[in-house]
Amino acid sequence: MVRVRFAPSPTGPLHIGGVRTALYNYLFARKMGGKMLLRIEDTDQTRYVPGAEDYILEALKWVGIEIDEGQGIGGPHAPYRQSERKPIYRQYADQLISAGKAYYAFDSAEELDIMRKQLEEAKVDNTSYNAVTRLQMKNSLTLPKDEVESRIANGDAYVIRLKVPLKEEIRFKDIIRDWVVVHSSTIDDKVLLKSDGMPTYHLANIVDDHLMEITHVIRGEEWLPSAPLHILLYKALGWKAPEFAHLPLLLKPEGNGKLSKRDGLLGNFPIFPLEWKDPFTEETARGFKQDGYFPEALVNFLAFLGWNPGTEQEFFSMNELIDTFSLDKIHKAGARFMVDKAKWFNQHYLKGKSEEEIASLIQEMRTDLSTDFALKLVRLMKDRITFPHEIVSEVPFIFEAPTSYDEEIVNSKWNDDARKAMGVIKENIHNIDNEGFTSQNIHDTIFPALEAAGIKAGKVMQAFRLAITGGGKGPDLMLTLEILGKEEVIKRIEKAVEFLV
Ligand code: GLU
């Protein structure tokens, strides 16, 4: 059975690229009838950020990624937080030592520094701790056995390093990138267990993927350089490696380089799923949710950042994505992060929502609005907006009479005809009773009245709009009038006539 995992580190808010990784894992798991796991990789305690784990769980829930097993859910391989699995890793580090695949290293930070400097002076190409340089260092391969034992017994600080072979070709077939071939001489003897007894990412990741029976590792391209080391580790532990699929990078909108937090600031778009308040700096980073994106729009957008069904279809619900998704349709090339596309998806999903649904979203933002009023606003604005909140923010004139008038429209449209028209309109509107003050009735009253007065309605409508809203463009005017109500409309006409001489 297919078993995949999403394995974020709680070092801050989940980046949108992380959400895409989680999504692809989820789609693949569901498509294959497999399981999706969530594991928290918090072995690097120095980078731990409070609140980050809760944020990850909340973000996944919001986008609709359901976890079958793991942190927050439980399961047969609990605990799923690596900091709670410390003894497990130690056991495998010891196993590697006994098998001669790993060794103790006692070098202090200063000694490592000295080594590097000496090697640099000697013009050695590769100054890392590796199959060549390890022979000059203080470790269980160079020190006498009894010294090693006494150092350990004395509580001397040490790390456990992987004994990377000097000459070995490491090859594996990535589902997306095909064959990857790396020579072991380019890999250093990575630390597997740190001096505080905590495993490094590499050891914990491999041990857990094995114990949790992960069949496919689907993760970001930034982990591709670590994959050969991981293959070596599987081999050293005598385990079968899972399949790998390294996802393409998310690129800046311009396409040059990796998408960063700064790009969001520059381009005025979020790069986190949910709003995030940094617990240290108290700074707030915006989120797709709070910006007004629907989770189904974000999912559709993210699905296409690196994958394509190979057909013309662009709109996919989560279930349709599950049906259509396959790893072999994922691209190798990086995917440009074009937020306009996300907006376009949002518009689409907004249009698909019922007026009632959107009205209740509006009422959540503006608790002072009645359902009836919110519904009218929805009808007025639904086809003109990308985000629900714009239903309110784009029509300030609904809530307040204009205090100034667009000068250009004043100059081009506020003429004798317009002034005369205001008189006709006001008088006729006066005669409509309050209950009958609907957009249709208003229309059917005003237009013939203007005509009867010898005024071409088309010539004065913009001036009328100006009087009501202060501007020359906007949503359906008749419906705007209905929403404002008879009294307010008359007041605004009078104000404009008085103000615009
Ligand atoms: N903890 C790693 C991260 O933060 C996981 C990488 C992997 O999936 O192996 O992305």
Side-chain angles (χ1 to χ4, degrees):
M1 200 222 293
V2 162
R3 288 172 61 85
V4 297
R5 81 317 190 256
F6 180 51
S9 298
T11 54
L14 187 58
H15 185 275
I16 203 68
V19 182
R20 187 201 52 176
T21 300
L23 176 66
Y24 284 18
N25 272 285
Y26 176 67
L27 294 177
F28 181 65
R30 284 288 174 274
K31 164 98 191 191
M32 305 303 287
K35 291 259 182 285
M36 163 86 176
L37 279 76
L38 176 67
R39 184 173 70 228
I40 300 295
E41 302 211 322
D42 58 346
T43 53
D44 189 351
Q45 295 286 316
T46 59
R47 296 183 60 214
Y48 177 79
V49 174
E53 185 184 310
D54 286 343
Y55 179 98
I56 292 165
L57 291 170
E58 241 178 88
L60 295 179
K61 200 164 153 202
W62 179 64
V63 289
I65 295 173
E66 298 159 289
I67 304 299
D68 300 308
E69 186 182 320
Q71 188 56 28
I73 302 277
H77 300 289
Y80 292 93
R81 211 186 262 130
Q82 288 187 326
S83 58
E84 292 166 18
R85 300 170 61 80
K86 216 169 138 182
I88 301 177
Y89 309 120
R90 168 95 232 180
Q91 178 192 328
Y92 290 103
D94 290 343
Q95 180 190 315
L96 286 172
I97 296 244
S98 325
K101 310 271 186 190
Y103 59 92
Y104 300 106
F106 301 96
D107 321 271
S108 65
E110 296 85 62
E111 285 164 336
L112 289 174
D113 229 31
I114 292 170
M115 164 184 97
R116 217 158 290 129
K117 287 204 180 100
Q118 282 173 349
L119 291 169
E120 272 163 17
E121 273 163 29
K123 301 265 180 269
V124 171
D125 280 348
N126 189 346
T127 61
S128 55
Y129 207 118
N130 59 24
V132 176
T133 58
R134 70 166 83 110
L135 300 174
Q136 293 162 43
M137 303 304 293
K138 274 194 201 135
N139 52 51
S140 54
L141 302 172
T142 57
L143 298 173
K145 197 162 177 266
D146 50 350
E147 188 182 338
V148 171
E149 274 160 16
S150 69
R151 273 175 178 266
I152 291 174
N154 285 342
D156 278 14
Y158 67 83
V159 298
I160 294 180
R161 287 181 182 271
L162 182 68
K163 194 176 163 198
V164 174
L166 176 63
K167 282 184 188 166
E168 193 174 308
E169 200 177 65
I170 307 157
R171 36 169 68 232
F172 68 97
K173 195 170 180 178
D174 185 275
I175 294 171
I176 299 164
R177 323 201 141 249
D178 211 42
W179 284 103
V180 176
V181 184
V182 175
H183 201 274
S184 67
S185 61
T186 62
I187 301 175
D188 57 327
D189 287 357
K190 281 274 179 311
V191 173
L192 302 177
L193 207 75
K194 294 181 270 191
S195 52
D196 61 0
M198 265 292 192
T200 55
Y201 153 73
H202 303 292
L203 178 67
N205 187 269
I206 266 57
V207 166
D208 284 347
D209 279 348
H210 173 74
L211 296 180
M212 295 178 185
E213 302 170 84
I214 298 304
T215 57
H216 294 74
V217 168
I218 305 169
R219 61 184 175 189
E221 188 183 298
E222 62 272 29
W223 298 102
L224 188 61
S226 301
L229 170 77
H230 295 174
I231 297 283
L232 275 181
L233 260 171
Y234 279 108
K235 220 171 131 186
L237 286 158
W239 296 336
K240 181 177 177 289
E243 303 257 1
F244 287 96
H246 287 93
L247 306 176
L249 286 178
L250 293 190
L251 304 177
K252 293 177 187 300
E254 308 78 38
N256 55 341
K258 208 170 139 180
L259 178 73
S260 72
K261 199 166 146 186
R262 221 176 101 79
D263 296 314
L265 294 176
L266 289 174
N268 196 25
F269 56 80
I271 59 156
F272 300 118
L274 310 176
E275 197 171 82
W276 165 258
K277 189 161 169 205
D278 189 296
F280 304 120
T281 64
E282 305 254 305
E283 255 174 76
T284 303
R286 51 206 272 206
F288 275 88
K289 179 181 180 194
Q290 286 74 14
D291 267 25
Y293 286 90
F294 297 112
E296 54 270 47
L298 184 62
V299 162
N300 204 153
F301 168 64
L302 289 179
F304 273 78
L305 281 182
W307 170 86
N308 195 305
T311 63
E312 293 290 297
Q313 189 183 343
E314 287 199 273
F315 298 116
F316 284 85
S317 66
M318 188 71 100
N319 282 336
E320 288 171 319
L321 284 171
I322 290 168
D323 282 346
T324 323
F325 191 75
S326 72
L327 292 177
D328 57 340
K329 289 229 161 57
I330 296 176
H331 315 147
K332 270 202 205 73
R336 281 164 70 184
F337 194 84
M338 311 284 272
V339 89
D340 282 350
K341 193 79 194 201
K343 289 185 182 164
W344 180 77
F345 277 118
N346 216 56
Q347 238 165 9
H348 170 82
Y349 287 100
L350 180 76
K351 287 207 175 99
K353 297 219 181 278
S354 71
E355 290 175 350
E356 288 72 20
E357 242 175 304
I358 307 175
S360 72
L361 290 177
I362 300 302
Q363 282 181 296
E364 274 169 34
M365 293 174 222
R366 287 279 307 248
T367 45
D368 56 322
L369 303 184
S370 72
T371 305
D372 189 47
F373 192 82
L375 273 170
K376 282 188 179 168
L377 282 182
V378 172
R379 267 168 227 150
L380 182 70
M381 294 299 289
K382 193 178 170 198
D383 292 333
R384 307 175 59 87
I385 50 155
T386 306
F387 304 111
H389 61 80
E390 289 171 337
I391 287 180
V392 173
S393 66
E394 293 292 295
V395 286
F397 52 82
I398 293 287
F399 303 96
E400 241 169 274
T403 49
S404 65
Y405 299 90
D406 185 317
E407 229 175 303
E408 219 176 286
I409 310 292
V410 174
N411 293 336
S412 62
K413 303 286 176 188
W414 195 260
N415 48 29
D416 285 346
D417 257 5
R419 264 183 288 263
K420 191 172 156 201
M422 291 312 119
V424 174
I425 293 173
K426 188 179 138 187
E427 204 182 298
N428 282 276
I429 277 182
H430 217 88
N431 295 333
I432 307 175
D433 61 32
N434 275 331
E435 273 85 85
F437 201 71
T438 62
S439 60
Q440 190 63 49
N441 269 348
I442 302 167
H443 177 273
D444 294 350
T445 307
I446 292 179
F447 280 72
L450 287 171
E451 204 179 310
I455 301 167
K456 281 213 168 65
K459 289 248 156 92
V460 296
M461 268 310 127
Q462 227 185 344
F464 186 27
R465 180 185 291 282
L466 180 81
I468 300 300
T469 69
K473 277 199 284 274
D476 186 273
L477 185 57
M478 297 303 128
L479 192 51
T480 303
L481 300 173
E482 178 184 324
I483 295 172
L484 289 173
K486 178 169 142 180
E487 214 179 301
E488 179 67 17
V489 170
I490 291 176
K491 255 200 242 163
R492 290 192 187 187
I493 296 174
E494 285 171 349
K495 189 177 164 192
V497 169
E498 193 187 308
F499 196 80
L500 299 167
V501 273

